[in-house]
Amino acid sequence: KSNPTTLEMGTNLRDLSLQNLSDSLFLSYSTYAKESEYISPWELELTGEVLFLSKKFVAVAIENYGFTGGAHPYSNTTLLNFDLKSGKAVQVLDFIRDKKTLMVLAEKAFRKSRELSADENLNEAGFFWDATFQLPTNLGIAQDGLYFYYNAYEIAAYAWGPTDFVISWEELGELFDKGKIAYRDWETGV
């Protein structure tokens, strides 16, 4: 049985069942429609995609998009990586043999994706407010390499939108321990 509540900032959505979440969303919209002079439709969309699957490991991208009034819609992508045997989430950085080298490769790929020169100040270009490159919180395994994803607002103003890029398996070389994810099984489709 659902016990809907009006959704407010700070509501821990993980504490709600899907039915309760759905009912709470409709209750929140009804409350908004009754109290607001200007009524606009709300929209929510949630999608998922498997980025990588082997006998030991799966990586997925969960994308959500919504508009509940305001200047613009919002969106967010979360990359999740799981050990299939334990069912537990794993951190991609645990598969990296040299994080300093990864930082160098990632910054180079980031600059290329945003068409920034190697010596261009990141802060002056509108990224990383403290001008220091950082890895995203969203790292995932993909078919063609290690997938990096920065959501809008994470490293720049909303107008810049999200930033994503892949560092290929060839570029990563021995930096990434592919044996831990049964990469060969995935490569051959087994």
Side-chain angles (χ1 to χ4, degrees):
K1 184 175 181 179
S2 179
N3 184 18
T5 181
T6 302
L7 298 176
E8 297 179 13
M9 290 296 286
T11 300
N12 187 352
L13 301 180
R14 293 179 182 196
D15 292 341
L16 303 175
S17 68
L18 282 177
Q19 185 62 51
N20 199 341
L21 183 59
S22 173
D23 292 346
S24 295
L25 177 67
F26 285 108
L27 176 62
S28 294
Y29 183 79
S30 295
T31 302
Y32 154 78
K34 288 176 188 172
E35 296 173 357
S36 180
E37 183 178 336
Y38 303 101
I39 301 171
S40 64
W42 285 7
E43 178 181 3
L44 294 173
E45 181 179 334
L46 180 68
T47 59
E49 174 186 4
V50 174
L51 300 174
F52 180 89
L53 178 63
S54 72
K55 290 180 180 178
K56 294 182 183 178
F57 188 85
V58 65
V60 296
I62 305 296
E63 300 174 9
N64 70 62
Y65 164 88
F67 180 76
T68 55
H72 52 73
Y74 59 88
S75 63
N76 184 311
T77 297
T78 303
L79 303 180
L80 302 169
N81 306 279
F82 296 97
D83 178 301
L84 289 175
K85 185 174 182 179
S86 70
K88 293 184 179 181
V90 295
Q91 299 300 315
V92 171
L93 289 178
D94 292 343
F95 301 123
I96 301 297
R97 293 185 171 117
D98 181 354
K99 291 172 182 61
K100 288 183 182 181
T101 301
L102 178 66
M103 285 287 285
V104 171
L105 288 173
E107 183 172 354
K108 182 179 174 184
F110 170 82
R111 288 177 176 277
K112 182 178 179 183
S113 74
R114 283 298 183 172
E115 300 177 354
L116 302 171
S117 68
D119 59 349
E120 194 166 352
N121 182 292
L122 293 171
N123 183 261
E124 290 174 10
F127 300 96
F128 301 101
W129 295 277
D130 66 357
T132 303
F133 177 80
Q134 301 166 27
L135 293 175
T137 56
N138 281 305
L139 289 170
I141 308 302
Q143 176 180 354
D144 44 354
L146 191 55
Y147 183 47
F148 295 72
Y149 192 95
Y150 299 90
N151 284 294
Y153 285 127
E154 191 173 347
I155 57 167
Y158 177 83
W160 282 103
T163 301
D164 67 333
F165 55 88
V166 173
I167 298 178
S168 72
W169 296 122
E170 292 73 30
E171 289 176 275
L172 289 167
E174 294 300 312
L175 187 63
F176 188 90
D177 187 355
K178 292 186 241 177
K180 290 184 178 179
I181 60 169
Y183 178 76
R184 293 271 179 236
D185 294 339
W186 179 82
E187 227 177 0
T188 58
V190 175

